[in-house]
């Protein structure tokens, strides 16, 4: 079948989409770039907040209209939403044909075959459903092919699932318990990516610091980091770190390994111990700030980013002020800031009453302002300095080319200075809260050629 895959959600879904696509091609299906050309549309979905679910509802609504107007198209719901009752209900409502959970993506081809057979025998709207959260032995060993040639940043999942039970979060239910992938599979994928010209590899997991804890035969995360760094990428990044397992040996690996980037994404979620307890985050404010101090001491250039939820049920003005004051101590370079979104099926949804929307958005607004201040301060540290930038695309204005620094800043340079995408050495001239602006000054330090526009 001519198939189009739509991907929402985190980088893990993007990585899973590569597996889905390779399974489809191996199973004799064709990939098409436009949904309008497809006989089968697969939605790889996210369920972490209300908004990504609304997006899926809107796409399913459009497809239902097209079908009613006579289009014959098969619709598949994959990813995190497909694992939940919420997804099942949507499948019923919108006539979805295939439901395949995130632990069953390698079953996509047999699921399509089963659907075709069922359609042939019964004729009307059969549905095929595959959900499986027991990953070990198949998906965990499965080798994902490298991304398409020309890809500069490659994502590599090192573990699946999550053993934490943060009360607001649906992920443990959609992705199951933590399972680390074998070291050999990870290194094999990393080598294949590097051979294909990928300059930056991003190691992925809901909680990468737990890598190896489920299997005594595996190395620790810090050891894995060093093993992947040895593959020879100019850059190695990783996400997401959990403060509970963020150990000093990881800080050592960042400090001592040149190509492991000075960039850490360490979600704190709240600055109030009372709220952290109600969220069931297993650390407290002081422990978090200790990690930040150790990081800044050992890795002085480190760029630190975080995730924050504002307006968690029961959050008082005083709790929120604790988050603001944590900001002033931690001085995050950037943050993903979310208003709490009650997710059916989570403990917080069952136990606590949601705060009024106005309170959540008013606090979010104040936090965004505070973050702007610290982002600008953080970015100004780099004014006048040279940074190495992986330039990936032309900016929307057409006048700039856009990329990311080793420390993960968004960096813009004049497009005329860039002849091809890739690593460039850039002198930073000007910082805003959201980006660094500069000019290309020469060859990047690892010797990648830098042809300047004449
Ligand atoms: N495993 C990662 C995060 C995964 S989800 C970690 O523990 O850090 C990404 C982010 O979405 C979370 O860090 C959190 O800030 C946010 N998030 C998760 N559930 C949410 C909810 N119900 N409402 C608002 N934000 C949420
Ligand atoms: Fe969700 Fe918490 Fe697990 Fe992160 S650590 S995925 S926030 S349950
Ligand atoms: Fe969303 Fe699932 Fe990722 S819920 S954030 S796609 S793990």
């Amino acid at each position: 079948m001519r198939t189009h895959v739509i991907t929402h959600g985190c980088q893990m879904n993007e990585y899973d989409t590569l597996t889905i696509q390779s399974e489809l091609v191996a199973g004799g299906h064709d990939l098409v770039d436009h949904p309008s050309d497809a006989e089968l549309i697969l939605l790889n979905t996210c369920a972490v907040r209300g908004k990504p679910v609304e997006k899926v509802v809107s796409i399913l609504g459009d497809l239902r209209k097209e079908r009613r107007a006579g289009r014959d198209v098969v619709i598949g719901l994959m990813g995190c939403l497909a694992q939940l009752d919420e997804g099942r209900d949507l499948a019923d409502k919108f006539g979805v044909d295939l439901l395949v959970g995130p632990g069953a993506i390698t079953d996509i081809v047999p699921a399509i075959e089963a659907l075709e057979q069922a359609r042939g025998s019964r004729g009307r709207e059969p549905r095929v459903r595959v959900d499986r959260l027991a990953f070990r032995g198949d998906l965990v060993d499965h080798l994902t092919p490298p991304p398409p040639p020309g890809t500069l940043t490659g994502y590599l999942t090192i573990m699946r699932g999550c053993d934490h039970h943060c009360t607001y979060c649906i992920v443990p239910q959609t992705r199951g318990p933590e399972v680390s992938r074998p070291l050999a599979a990870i290194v094999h994928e990393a080598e294949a990516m590097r051979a294909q010209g990928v300059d930056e590899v991003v190691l992925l997991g809901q909680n990468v610091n737990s890598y190896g804890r489920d299997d005594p035969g595996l190395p620790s995360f810090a050891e894995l980091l060093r093993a992947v760094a040895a593959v020879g990428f100019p850059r190695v990044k990783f996400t997401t770190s959990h403060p509970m397992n963020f150990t000093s040996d990881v800080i050592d690996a960042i400090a001592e390994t040149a190509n492991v980037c000075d960039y850490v994404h360490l979600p704190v979620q709240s600055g109030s111990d009372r709220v952290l307890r109600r969220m069931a985050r297993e650390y407290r404010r002081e422990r978090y700030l200790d990690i930040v101090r150790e990081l800044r001491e050992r890795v002085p250039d480190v760029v630190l980013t975080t995730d924050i939820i504002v307006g968690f049920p029961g959050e008082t003005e005083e709790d929120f002020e604790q988050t603001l004051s944590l900001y002033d101590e931690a001085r995050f370079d950037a943050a993903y800031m979310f208003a709490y979104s009650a997710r059916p099926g989570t403990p917080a949804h069952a136990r606590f009453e949601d705060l009024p929307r106005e309170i959540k958005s008013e606090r979010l607004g104040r936090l965004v302002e505070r973050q702007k201040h610290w982002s600008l301060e953080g970015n100004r540290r780099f004014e006048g300095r040279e940074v190495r930038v992986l330039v990936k695309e032309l900016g929307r204005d057409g006048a700039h080319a856009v990329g990311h620094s080793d420390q993960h800043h968004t960096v813009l340079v004049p497009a005329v200075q860039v002849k091809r995408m890739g690593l460039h050495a850039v002198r930073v001239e000007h910082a805003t809260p959201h980006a660094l602006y500069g000019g290309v000054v020469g060859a990047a330090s690892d010797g990648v050629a830098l042809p300047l526009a004449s």
Side-chain angles (χ1 to χ4, degrees):
M1 275 203 258
R2 290 193 309 276
T3 309
H4 179 76
V5 187
I6 297 172
T7 311
H8 292 159
C10 63
Q11 293 140 342
M12 282 185 209
N13 267 9
E14 284 180 34
Y15 173 89
D16 284 352
T17 287
L18 292 176
T19 296
I20 295 166
Q21 289 173 330
S22 74
E23 293 288 311
L24 289 167
V25 170
H29 300 281
D30 294 323
L31 301 175
V32 293
D33 289 336
H34 295 288
S36 51
D37 298 332
E39 296 162 292
L40 165 64
I41 294 183
L42 294 174
L43 283 160
N44 194 6
T45 60
C46 172
V48 80
R49 282 174 292 276
K51 268 208 189 122
V53 177
E54 283 163 24
K55 264 196 223 161
V56 172
V57 170
S58 136
I59 294 175
L60 290 176
D62 290 346
L63 288 171
R64 182 166 64 181
K65 262 188 229 152
E66 288 183 32
R67 272 178 163 178
R68 283 182 179 158
R71 179 173 176 195
D72 183 20
V73 60
V74 178
I75 303 170
L77 199 64
M78 302 187 71
C80 289
L81 194 52
Q83 191 66 39
L84 302 171
D85 288 346
E86 205 177 356
R88 240 161 280 174
D89 294 345
L90 287 174
D92 289 340
K93 186 168 165 196
F94 290 98
V96 166
D97 309 288
L98 279 165
L99 264 169
V100 180
I105 51 177
T106 47
D107 287 347
I108 182 64
V109 170
I112 294 170
E113 277 161 16
L115 180 74
E116 282 174 332
Q117 271 174 16
R119 279 185 141 195
S121 61
R122 276 184 259 130
R124 249 201 67 69
E125 291 208 24
R127 180 162 310 140
V128 171
R129 177 187 172 93
V130 195
D131 50 2
R132 180 158 44 83
L133 286 179
F135 299 111
R136 191 179 290 281
D138 43 21
L139 198 46
V140 171
D141 289 333
H142 180 85
L143 292 176
T144 298
T151 305
L152 296 172
T153 297
Y155 297 115
L156 206 173
T157 289
I158 61 166
M159 59 190 300
R160 292 183 172 269
C162 179
D163 280 351
H164 294 266
H165 297 280
C166 307
T167 52
Y168 51 81
C169 186
I170 198 72
V171 171
Q173 288 176 56
T174 67
R175 298 228 163 209
E178 279 173 11
V179 185
S180 303
R181 297 184 66 209
L183 178 67
I186 295 169
V187 172
H188 178 98
E189 280 182 23
E191 285 171 347
M193 273 185 193
R194 185 62 191 136
Q196 193 153 303
V198 167
D199 282 331
E200 174 178 73
V201 64
V202 185
L203 305 181
L204 299 178
Q206 291 300 344
N207 174 12
V208 289
N209 314 90
S210 303
Y211 179 80
R213 281 170 193 241
D214 53 309
D215 182 345
L218 291 176
S220 67
F221 177 60
E223 288 161 342
L224 174 75
L225 209 44
R226 290 177 194 265
V228 173
V231 170
F233 294 92
R235 283 179 175 181
V236 180
K237 292 180 180 173
F238 56 91
T239 195
T240 297
S241 297
H242 192 295
M244 187 195 168
N245 323 104
F246 197 86
T247 42
S248 300
D249 59 345
V250 177
I251 300 181
D252 293 340
I254 301 171
E256 292 163 13
T257 315
N259 52 351
V260 175
C261 289
D262 296 351
Y263 162 62
V264 175
H265 181 63
L266 191 64
V268 65
Q269 313 299 358
S270 169
S272 154
D273 281 349
R274 212 179 64 90
V275 175
L276 288 172
R277 203 175 310 118
R278 285 159 66 90
M279 287 176 163
R281 297 288 287 185
E282 300 98 330
Y283 54 88
R284 296 294 170 258
R285 174 193 175 96
E286 268 319 300
R287 163 76 187 129
Y288 186 89
L289 289 170
D290 281 345
I291 299 172
V292 174
R293 282 187 277 269
E294 189 183 343
L295 249 177
R296 294 212 191 274
E297 205 178 289
R298 296 287 322 277
V299 190
D301 267 348
V302 74
V303 160
L304 178 68
T305 62
T306 200
D307 290 350
I308 295 263
I309 298 176
V310 299
F312 185 75
E315 183 190 77
T316 62
E317 177 60 25
E318 208 183 343
D319 292 321
F320 177 65
E321 279 166 16
Q322 292 271 306
T323 295
L324 291 176
S325 84
L326 178 114
Y327 259 53
D328 297 341
E329 289 190 53
R331 306 188 311 275
F332 297 115
D333 292 271
Y336 296 94
M337 294 163 278
F338 307 105
Y340 170 73
S341 166
R343 303 305 300 131
T346 59
H349 179 262
R351 265 190 245 150
F352 306 129
E353 199 180 321
D354 208 353
L355 287 178
R357 186 193 293 254
E358 309 77 66
I359 293 188
K360 293 196 275 187
S361 58
E362 189 268 338
R363 286 181 190 163
L364 187 60
R366 275 153 71 197
L367 197 66
V368 168
E369 278 311 305
R370 184 71 58 107
Q371 183 55 55
K372 248 194 218 162
H373 169 80
W374 287 118
S375 293
L376 183 59
E377 289 286 308
N379 287 351
R380 277 192 178 146
R381 287 190 289 158
F382 289 84
E383 278 180 346
R385 286 173 55 179
E386 202 177 295
V387 292
R388 193 172 60 161
V389 181
L390 187 62
V391 179
K392 284 201 228 162
E393 58 196 358
L394 203 60
R396 263 187 241 145
D397 63 0
H400 289 92
V402 187
H404 280 90
S405 69
D406 286 355
Q407 295 87 351
H408 215 61
H409 305 99
T410 299
V411 185
L412 288 91
V413 295
V416 289
Q417 295 181 347
V418 176
K419 279 228 173 114
R420 60 181 172 77
M421 301 306 157
L423 284 163
H424 293 69
V426 171
R427 180 163 305 279
V428 178
E429 288 150 12
H430 173 63
T432 71
H434 305 295
L436 305 178
Y437 289 79
V440 174
V441 290
S445 52
D446 79 329
V448 171
L450 289 173
L452 292 178
S454 48

